């Protein structure tokens, strides 16, 4: 299944979404399968959840069911049971293989209000020119330093903004980012930290980040949707 986190609901943590989704399964009377053992849990597996505060048009999960259901009817029922802003966009019957194995890269849009595009362009060029960009992030294991440059496949300034013009006419630079899934994960805020390290880019107000896609990275640098293989089943006998 693919779902989105939009508007204020982008501040929903992964744990809060998981609780909301389990309630939605009950409200929609979905015949969810459960694990075995003393404390059975619904069979739900999440793939690369976006950080809290980040919007997304491409979050994925897979569920195990006790009985066959129509994917479209399931999508409609679950979407109706969730709050607006947590939107179920697509459901398909899963084929072979794990959903997580089909995701090794993601695409992001980073909006930088009150940042001149020319300033952002210089910072992007400096980042791409660097062989290594060391940044720091606090993790469960403490403060960790790692290279934010090596995971970045594409970083570019969008020429045209698709964000509605602000009333005050303030500039808004928009950066497109494609990053490979590595360990530790390189997130958009790590890339923003890298732009500060190499070019001193300090946005005066918080950025707004949206995940646009996840999937398998091709040699051409494109991202293949992980549900693509399941949308059009092969004819029988093939």
């Amino acid at each position: 299944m693919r779902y989105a986190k939009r508007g204020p609901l982008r501040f929903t943590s992964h744990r809060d979404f998981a609780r909301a989704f389990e309630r939605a399964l009950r409200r929609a009377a979905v015949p969810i399968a459960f694990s075995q053992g003393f404390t059975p849990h619904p069979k739900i597996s999440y793939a690369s959840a976006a950080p809290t505060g980040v919007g997304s048009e491409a979050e994925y999960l897979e569920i195990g069911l006790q009985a066959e259901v129509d994917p479209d009817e399931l999508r409609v029922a679950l979407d109706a049971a969730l709050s607006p802003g947590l939107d179920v966009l697509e459901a398909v019957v899963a084929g072979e293989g794990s959903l997580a194995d089909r995701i090794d890269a993601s695409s992001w849009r980073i909006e930088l209000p009150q940042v001149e595009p020319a300033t952002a362009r210089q910072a992007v060029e400096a980042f791409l020119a660097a062989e290594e960009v060391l940044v720091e992030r606090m993790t469960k294991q403490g403060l960790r330093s790692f290279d934010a440059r090596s995971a970045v496949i594409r970083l570019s300034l969008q020429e045209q903004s698709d964000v509605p013009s602000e009333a005050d006419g303030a500039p808004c630079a928009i950066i497109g980012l494609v990053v490979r899934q590595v360990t530790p994960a390189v997130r958009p805020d790590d890339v923003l930290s890298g732009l500060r390290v190499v070019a001193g880019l300090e946005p005066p107000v918080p950025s707004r980040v949206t995940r646009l896609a996840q999937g398998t990275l091709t040699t051409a640098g494109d991202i293949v949707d992980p549900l693509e293989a399941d949308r059009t089943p092969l004819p029988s006998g093939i």
Side-chain angles (χ1 to χ4, degrees):
M1 305 179 74
R2 178 169 69 95
Y3 66 96
K5 291 172 61 179
R6 296 166 169 162
L9 272 298
R10 70 185 186 277
F11 294 105
T12 304
S13 70
H14 174 63
R15 181 174 295 181
D16 287 340
F17 174 81
R19 291 195 189 104
F21 187 72
E22 289 187 25
R23 288 196 296 269
L25 288 169
R26 291 194 293 271
R27 290 194 192 106
V30 175
I32 189 74
F34 285 82
S35 62
Q36 302 296 314
F38 291 106
T39 56
H41 296 286
K43 289 190 174 182
I44 308 171
S45 178
Y46 297 92
S48 303
T52 303
V54 170
S56 179
E57 295 296 315
E59 298 299 286
Y60 292 90
L61 60 81
E62 52 188 341
I63 60 176
L65 301 177
Q66 297 177 7
E68 264 190 53
V69 299
D70 180 89
D72 290 333
E73 293 179 2
L74 176 66
R75 184 201 67 78
V76 171
L78 286 174
D79 187 55
L82 286 166
S83 299
L86 297 177
D87 304 320
V88 181
L89 305 178
E90 186 176 6
V92 298
V93 177
E96 295 182 359
S98 166
L99 178 61
D101 291 340
R102 302 181 185 184
I103 297 176
D104 59 17
S106 55
S107 171
W108 305 81
R109 181 177 67 221
I110 304 173
E111 301 168 21
L112 303 175
Q114 300 183 31
V115 173
E116 292 286 350
T119 301
R121 186 185 303 280
Q122 291 174 358
V124 166
E125 290 173 352
F127 185 98
L128 294 174
E131 292 186 5
E132 181 182 68
V133 179
L134 294 178
V135 300
E136 293 183 334
R137 188 208 307 156
M138 185 61 69
T139 68
K140 294 179 181 179
Q141 290 74 37
L143 191 63
R144 184 165 185 176
S145 175
F146 57 93
D147 177 23
R149 175 65 184 90
S150 59
V152 172
I153 303 301
R154 187 183 307 140
L155 185 67
S156 60
L157 190 75
Q158 293 188 3
E159 295 296 334
Q160 300 248 341
S161 168
D162 56 355
V163 178
S165 299
E166 299 292 338
D168 59 5
C172 180
I174 302 179
I175 293 174
L177 168 68
V178 176
V179 63
R180 183 184 291 109
Q181 188 168 296
V182 295
T183 303
V186 172
R187 308 183 308 201
D189 56 325
D190 299 319
V191 174
L192 289 173
S193 294
L195 294 175
R196 182 175 63 250
V197 168
V198 298
L201 181 65
E202 292 275 5
V205 297
S207 61
R208 181 159 180 166
V209 179
T210 304
R211 173 144 57 189
L212 302 178
Q214 291 193 76
T216 304
L217 187 69
T218 69
T219 54
D222 299 319
I223 294 179
V224 178
D225 189 326
L227 304 187
E228 181 63 32
D230 302 318
R231 287 196 184 102
T232 308
L234 292 173
S236 59
I238 294 182

